[in-house]
């Protein structure tokens, strides 16, 4: 019987003839711009510095013929470059969603890492490979029973577990692996992947490494396969130890892996974040910004705020007393309170020496978050506020800003990208980077883009110490 992995590889190779090929490639450029922006903004975050220190401790920086590291002049072997760049992509909780889930933080770092291993990779091949990675990552999640069975019930962080398969496919296609080698690469990724939600107990920084570890594993898987080390053919469906039988014991749906291939490329369902917090908070934030406009941010005009959400959201986001940045980004009461007070939710609300101000605590005290199993499976939170003047405000936003059904325009995306580049001391290159990406499918190589993403070399550059000064 032909394995699921082999069937998937054969289908993936038909993508360039897909009717929606042009639309999917355009979306990949949109998401690449977003991913690079949030990654460059994170170059001064603690995660970047700590990962540099970890790589330096094991002698992994400045390897001969290494892959590039975003914002630095250092190099590293390809799998470590994917690890570093993927960590940046997820460090601010601003990376895209709707794939498996933060697919951009997995697929693009893997693609950029292996692109440096070939003398020439065209922009078109690069983008096609990234679309394929999004497709495989999302379909792997759908086959695992999607969010409920794999993530919420199983305890797996699906960006890490399912993302590795997408990264392996992307890296393998860029490396021109054969059909057998691509099957092996998937086998490695699916049987060696991992990542659980244990970080949600204490807001551990390990969350930032889940996408990057998946990207790194995907690169390793492709390189192992390129060396003709065989991976398991039946990695998805093996009765004992298969991905679906191990990581999705309840609710697995193997048919979802291949059904209606390319009827709607999965990358088209991905969106970008306007707020630096867990995507499940965004609809509530949109509603609370509307309430902010009604009360002028004055919590004294409100008696109570009741938020009902599906049980999976409650399990993830119920913490009303976050103690650090990660916990705050995963706290619906905190994010809702910030939006109510300030009419916005920005990085300064989470970063620096994190603490909850008296004003924010007062707003949190108004909020009751409740789990409501009667809401639809994909329902967004329902918010009901009782105002002191007797009025009742009730609302829900079915598709939060940034969703593919409520997208940011390109101009809005570029404005965000410029702001991110400024945070990463790369504002002088923002327009040039965006221009390269806008026509990337026509580029004969990635040299121009990669050159723009490295740190500027000047007489004051500090390489041995890690960060290079512009």
């Amino acid at each position: 019987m032909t394995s699921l992995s082999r069937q998937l590889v054969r289908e993936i190779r038909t993508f360039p003839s897909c009717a929606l090929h042009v639309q999917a490639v355009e979306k990949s450029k949109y998401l690449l711009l977003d991913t690079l922006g949030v990654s460059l903004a994170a170059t001064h975050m603690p995660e970047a510095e700590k990962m540099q220190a970890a790589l330096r401790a094991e002698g992994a920086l400045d390897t001969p013929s290494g892959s590039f590291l975003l914002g630095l002049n250092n190099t590293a072997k390809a799998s470590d470059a994917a690890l570093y760049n993927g960590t940046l992509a997820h460090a601010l909780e601003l990376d895209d969603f709707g794939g498996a889930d933060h697919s951009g933080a997995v697929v693009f770092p893997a693609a950029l890492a292996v692109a440096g291993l070939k003398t020439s990779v065209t922009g078109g091949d690069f983008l096609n490979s990234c679309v394929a990675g999004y497709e495989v990552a999302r379909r792997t999640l759908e086959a695992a029973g999607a969010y409920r069975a794999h993530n919420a019930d199983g305890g797996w962080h699906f960006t890490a577990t399912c993302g590795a398969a997408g990264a392996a496919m992307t890296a393998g296609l860029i490396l021109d692996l054969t059909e057998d080698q691509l099957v092996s690469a998937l086998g490695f990724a699916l049987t060696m992947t991992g990542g659980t939600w244990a970080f949600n107990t204490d807001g551990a920084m390990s969350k930032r490494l889940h996408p990057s570890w998946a990207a790194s594993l995907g690169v390793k898987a492709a390189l192992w396969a390129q060396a003709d080390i065989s991976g398991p053919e039946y990695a998805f469906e093996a009765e004992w130890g298969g991905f679906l039988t191990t990581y999705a014991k309840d609710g697995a749906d193997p048919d979802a892996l291949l059904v209606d291939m390319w009827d709607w490329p999965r990358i088209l369902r991905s969106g970008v974040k306007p707020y630096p917090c867990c995507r499940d908070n965004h609809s509530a934030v949109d509603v609370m910004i509307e309430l902010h406009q009604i009360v002028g941010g004055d919590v004294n005009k409100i008696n109570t705020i009741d938020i009902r959400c599906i049980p999976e959201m409650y399990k993830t986001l119920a913490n009303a007393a976050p103690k650090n940045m990660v916990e705050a980004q995963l706290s619906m009461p905190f994010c809702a309170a910030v939006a109510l007070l300030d009419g916005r939710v920005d990085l300064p609300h989470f970063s620096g020496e994190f603490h909850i101000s008296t004003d924010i605590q007062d707003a949190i005290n108004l909020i009751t978050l409740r789990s409501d199993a009667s809401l639809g499976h994909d329902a967004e939170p329902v918010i009901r506020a009782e105002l002191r003047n007797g009025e009742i405000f009730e609302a829900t936003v079915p598709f939060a800003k940034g969703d593919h059904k409520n997208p940011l325009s390109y101009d809005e995306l570029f404005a965000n990208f410029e702001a991110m580049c400024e945070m990463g001391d790369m504002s002088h290159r923002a327009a040039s980077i965006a221009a390269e990406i806008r026509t990337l499918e026509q580029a004969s190589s990635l040299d121009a883009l990669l050159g723009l993403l490295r740190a500027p070399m000047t007489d004051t550059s500090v390489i041995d110490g890690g960060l290079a000064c512009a």
Side-chain angles (χ1 to χ4, degrees):
M1 184 178 72
T2 305
S3 68
L4 291 176
S5 291
R6 191 169 296 276
Q7 292 179 63
L8 182 60
V9 166
R10 290 173 178 173
E11 290 288 352
I12 287 296
R13 288 184 152 182
T14 70
F15 167 64
S17 62
C18 163
L20 295 176
H21 176 264
V22 172
Q23 190 175 344
V25 169
E26 283 298 310
K27 186 62 176 284
S28 70
K29 294 189 295 183
Y30 177 96
L31 295 171
L32 176 60
L33 184 69
D34 179 67
T35 300
L36 291 177
V38 300
S39 300
L40 290 170
T43 54
H44 298 316
M45 290 292 291
E47 288 87 344
E49 298 175 9
K50 292 176 187 296
M51 183 54 72
Q52 287 175 50
L55 292 175
R56 186 172 294 106
E58 60 176 304
L61 290 185
D62 298 317
T63 56
S65 302
S67 297
F68 90 107
L69 302 176
L70 275 164
L72 301 181
N73 285 311
N74 304 75
T75 58
K77 66 181 182 182
S79 59
D80 286 334
L83 182 70
Y84 179 77
N85 294 335
T87 300
L88 293 185
H90 194 53
L92 299 177
E93 199 68 37
L94 270 169
D95 41 330
D96 65 32
F97 65 93
D101 186 31
H102 305 286
S103 291
V106 178
V107 168
F108 292 127
L112 291 168
V114 296
L117 301 179
K118 296 185 65 179
T119 54
S120 181
V121 177
T122 69
D125 287 344
F126 177 86
L127 294 172
N128 283 343
S129 299
C130 291
V131 172
Y134 271 79
E135 191 76 15
V136 169
R138 180 66 200 188
R139 284 183 175 273
T140 299
L141 172 61
E142 292 172 1
Y147 184 93
R148 186 185 297 273
H150 181 64
N151 190 80
D153 294 342
W156 299 106
H157 188 199
F158 54 89
T159 303
T161 54
C162 302
M169 181 59 69
T170 292
L173 290 172
I174 291 176
L175 293 172
D176 295 323
L177 298 190
T178 66
E179 178 181 301
D180 285 343
Q181 289 171 331
L182 285 171
V183 170
S184 284
L186 277 178
F188 290 130
L190 291 166
T191 56
M192 296 182 176
T193 192
T196 72
W197 274 85
F199 60 78
N200 203 36
T201 303
D202 56 3
M205 195 179 283
S206 62
K207 181 182 192 296
R208 311 303 197 200
L209 274 61
H210 282 194
S212 60
W213 183 250
S216 182
L217 173 57
V219 169
K220 287 179 181 290
L223 293 173
W224 292 333
Q226 186 182 50
D228 289 326
I229 304 172
S230 62
E233 168 94 16
Y234 296 91
F236 275 107
E237 68 269 39
E239 184 176 351
W240 186 34
F243 179 83
L244 298 180
T245 54
T246 303
Y247 291 82
K249 293 182 181 296
D250 300 312
D253 182 12
D255 292 342
L257 192 67
L258 297 160
V259 67
D260 298 327
M261 217 47 203
W262 302 123
D263 65 327
W264 185 47
R266 295 303 192 261
I267 197 170
L268 298 180
R269 79 182 304 281
S270 293
V272 300
K273 288 183 175 183
Y275 315 121
C277 57
C278 178
R279 179 59 185 177
D280 278 348
N281 284 318
H282 284 214
S283 288
V285 167
D286 281 348
V287 172
M288 297 301 275
I289 288 174
E290 183 180 349
L291 182 57
H292 165 86
Q293 295 168 348
I294 293 172
V295 301
D298 185 357
V299 297
N300 293 317
K301 293 182 178 180
I302 303 172
N303 280 328
T304 61
I305 300 172
D306 181 74
I307 302 178
R308 293 183 293 122
C309 64
I310 62 174
E312 292 77 17
M313 283 188 189
Y314 186 85
K315 179 184 293 186
T316 306
L317 306 174
N319 184 1
K323 300 180 292 300
N324 57 39
M325 182 179 185
V326 173
E327 287 191 344
Q329 290 172 320
L330 290 165
S331 168
M332 187 174 289
F334 178 83
C335 294
V338 167
L340 174 62
L341 282 174
D342 293 351
R344 55 187 174 80
V345 176
D346 298 326
L347 281 170
H349 289 119
F350 302 95
S351 55
E353 292 295 325
F354 178 80
H355 71 282
I356 299 178
S357 68
T358 300
D359 288 345
I360 293 177
Q361 187 61 61
D362 288 343
I364 290 175
N365 292 340
L366 293 173
I367 296 171
T368 299
L369 182 65
R370 296 189 290 123
S371 174
D372 188 345
S374 71
L375 295 174
H377 172 60
D378 292 323
E380 295 292 353
V382 177
I383 297 177
R384 185 180 188 275
E386 295 182 4
L387 307 188
R388 291 195 174 177
N389 63 7
E391 294 181 6
I392 300 295
F393 169 86
E394 185 165 359
T396 188
V397 173
F399 303 105
K401 186 67 174 175
D403 189 89
H404 71 277
K405 294 184 178 180
N406 185 15
L408 271 67
S409 68
Y410 181 82
D411 288 343
E412 290 174 313
L413 180 75
F414 180 68
N416 285 350
F417 176 74
E418 283 188 306
M420 295 296 103
C421 284
E422 184 174 359
M423 287 181 60
D425 298 329
M426 293 282 266
S427 58
H428 59 296
R429 292 187 178 180
S432 297
I433 294 171
E436 285 294 329
I437 293 174
R438 286 297 291 267
T439 58
L440 191 58
E441 76 276 19
Q442 302 169 26
S444 59
S445 78
L446 300 178
D447 292 348
L449 177 61
L450 298 186
L452 289 167
L453 296 173
R454 292 183 174 91
M457 285 293 289
T458 73
D459 291 339
T460 58
S461 291
V462 180
I463 300 177
D464 291 340
L467 288 173
C469 304

